[in-house]
Amino acid sequence: MRKIIVLIIVIAAAAGVYWYTSKDDKNSLTETIPSTDDRSVPADSTFEAGLPTKRWQLSVLNSKSGQTVIGGQYPQAIYIEFNPADNSYKGYAGCNTFSGKYEASGDYGFSFGPIASTKMACDYIDLEGAVFEAMRKAATWGIKGEQLVFTSEDGYTDLVYSRQ
């Protein structure tokens, strides 16, 4: 009987260590997201000057409800492209294509204008809605390494794009 109790305690301890380690690994992705004080683009840079490429693929969506890592689970890459010549953007959000205008201001200020999109239904419509909501909330931008990050004013919502 004593051996069974010891075995149960060892298994419970191992499960607790695994859960704690897994929890830390999930949250480690947020460490790559720059804070508003940690921008690798010089302070006098404009949004357009800070964009090394025009097309960016969504890799992480953070919100109050959690973190969604975007990978190969979708049939087509979720992306956004910027055209600095007319301050426009366009992209694909999981089900539909979208477009609109953006406004970038000093001190990394940023806002997406109204989002126009096609209206097809698909299995990823909830993700697309979350992407559009995060775009509406975007208040700042920053580039850190290979990532373009848009963050909401409350700091809870991030769209993290990688160079494509």
Side-chain angles (χ1 to χ4, degrees):
M1 182 68 160
R2 185 177 285 206
K3 287 181 181 180
I4 293 174
I5 292 173
V6 170
L7 182 62
I8 291 172
I9 292 171
V10 169
I11 291 172
V17 168
Y18 174 77
W19 175 81
Y20 182 76
T21 303
S22 296
K23 183 178 166 213
D24 285 349
D25 288 346
K26 263 191 247 177
N27 292 333
S28 67
L29 286 174
T30 60
E31 293 172 10
T32 63
I33 299 169
S35 72
T36 54
D37 297 329
D38 183 21
R39 310 289 184 177
S40 61
V41 179
D44 60 347
S45 283
T46 63
F47 178 74
E48 292 77 12
L51 286 177
T53 62
K54 290 184 182 177
R55 188 170 181 153
W56 297 84
Q57 184 172 329
L58 185 64
S59 53
V60 179
L61 170 61
N62 289 311
S63 67
K64 284 184 181 180
S65 60
Q67 183 178 69
T68 303
V69 178
I70 312 298
Q73 70 268 42
Y74 303 102
Q76 184 177 340
I78 297 172
Y79 70 89
I80 192 164
E81 293 180 10
F82 296 95
N83 182 352
D86 64 358
N87 286 5
S88 66
Y89 63 86
K90 66 180 180 178
Y92 177 76
C95 291
N96 294 285
T97 57
F98 63 89
S99 63
K101 298 280 188 173
Y102 67 85
E103 184 177 324
S105 58
D107 296 331
Y108 302 101
F110 191 90
S111 63
F112 287 98
I115 302 166
S117 75
T118 55
K119 300 291 181 192
M120 296 185 338
C122 78
D123 293 337
Y124 312 110
I125 200 73
D126 291 339
L127 172 63
E128 180 172 281
V131 169
F132 288 161
E133 182 64 23
M135 289 173 67
R136 286 184 197 96
K137 290 181 176 182
T140 62
W141 70 280
I143 294 177
K144 180 150 182 157
E146 300 289 312
Q147 295 179 319
L148 170 61
V149 180
F150 295 99
T151 303
S152 64
E153 196 169 325
D154 64 9
Y156 283 107
T157 304
D158 292 305
L159 287 163
V160 182
Y161 289 91
S162 300
R163 283 188 200 209
Q164 190 172 17

